[in-house]
């Protein structure tokens, strides 16, 4: 399936909502390139994300994230997976929206906890109570996630099913004229 649009499909959403796996599936189905912002950031920094947080702290991670978004958002016809905190900064959203439709993936706290609760790769969840942290972060970010052009719930759905839903919804969004 080809979308026939030059726009990027940008996936936002909390950690554990499936942005990377779903993004790869969408890219394969639509014949688009796939770019993961966290992967690019790690490649450019020569460090892992936990290392960047440990060595320089979150503000420096966010600065590098915006730098990576500035470069990557200039692409066309790519599926771009963002890190879970990227859309909290309006500058990132503006950059990503210039050339793309923003699709936010959502999941319940239980699903998120099951998918990433024990992950060592999520510095923000390295606490005694990951569930409490997830709830706090979700509450603080909810309003930012809701600003996406399209919002899709992922609970109980396979990556393939979510990818198909994204392609359908993006096609309707485009034909409604909102993407002009
Ligand atoms: C973060 C999410 C992570 C990564 C970093 C910070 C966040 O990306 O960017 O650990 O602030 O939610 P994923 O959403 O891909 O896990």
């Amino acid at each position: 399936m080809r979308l026939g649009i030059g726009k990027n499909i940008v996936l936002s959403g909390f950690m554990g909502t499936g942005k990377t796996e779903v993004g790869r599936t969408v890219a394969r189905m639509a014949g688009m390139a796939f770019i993961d912002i966290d992967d690019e950031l790690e490649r450019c920094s020569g460090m892992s994300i936990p290392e960047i947080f440990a060595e320089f702290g979150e503000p420096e991670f966010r600065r590098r994230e915006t730098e990576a978004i500035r470069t990557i958002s200039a692409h066309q016809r790519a599926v771009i997976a963002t890190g879970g905190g990227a859309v909290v900064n309006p500058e990132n959203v503006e950059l990503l929206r210039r050339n793309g439709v923003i699709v936010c993936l959502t999941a319940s706290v239980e699903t998120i906890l099951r998918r990433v609760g024990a992950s060592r790769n999520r510095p923000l969840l390295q606490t005694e109570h990951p569930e409490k942290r997830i709830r706090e972060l979700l509450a603080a970010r909810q309003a930012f996630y809701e600003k996406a052009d399209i919002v899709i719930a992922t609970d109980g759905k396979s990556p393939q099913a979510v990818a198909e839903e994204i392609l359908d919804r993006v096609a309707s969004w485009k034909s409604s004229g909102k993407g002009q």
Side-chain angles (χ1 to χ4, degrees):
M1 177 184 178
R2 296 216 148 240
L3 277 178
I5 59 170
K7 281 204 177 266
N8 298 316
I9 298 178
V10 177
L11 300 185
S12 73
F14 201 75
M15 296 173 261
T17 51
K19 300 177 295 279
T20 302
E21 191 174 355
V22 168
R24 281 211 177 90
T25 309
V26 171
R28 198 174 51 240
M29 288 169 71
M32 297 166 80
F34 174 72
I35 305 168
D36 186 285
I37 289 174
D38 282 344
D39 286 352
E40 285 300 304
L41 204 157
E42 289 188 326
R43 201 177 52 78
C44 294
S45 300
M47 295 168 90
S48 70
I49 285 170
E51 283 168 348
I52 299 170
F53 268 79
E55 187 125 341
F56 305 115
E58 184 171 353
E60 174 60 14
F61 168 78
R62 297 294 170 200
R63 197 193 61 74
R64 292 183 189 204
E65 184 176 49
T66 299
E67 215 171 79
I69 288 173
R70 186 167 293 112
T71 309
I72 291 164
S73 60
H75 281 74
Q76 287 208 326
R77 270 192 62 78
V79 179
I80 299 172
T82 63
V87 295
V88 171
N89 178 348
E91 187 183 353
N92 295 342
V93 176
E94 197 197 313
L95 287 165
L96 291 162
R97 199 169 252 140
R98 255 181 222 169
N99 225 4
V101 48
I102 301 185
V103 180
C104 179
L105 302 185
T106 68
S108 65
V109 172
E110 294 68 30
T111 301
I112 292 169
L113 196 58
R114 185 163 36 76
R115 289 182 185 158
V116 296
S119 164
R120 299 204 147 260
N121 277 325
R122 287 2 191 253
L124 295 178
L125 301 183
Q126 305 312 300
T127 84
E128 284 282 293
H129 301 289
E131 179 176 348
K132 182 166 170 275
R133 188 86 176 110
I134 290 168
R135 287 185 192 281
E136 287 164 358
L137 284 171
L138 272 174
R141 293 176 177 180
Q142 191 60 26
F144 299 98
Y145 292 137
E146 281 171 4
K147 287 185 190 151
D149 301 301
I150 296 168
V151 178
I152 295 181
T154 65
D155 292 283
K157 297 176 189 166
S158 67
Q160 177 76 23
V162 177
E164 282 167 15
E165 198 171 333
I166 290 173
L167 289 172
D168 283 351
R169 298 272 302 273
V170 168
S172 315
W173 178 85
K174 205 222 156 199
S175 58
S176 74
K178 289 192 187 137
Q180 305 310 311

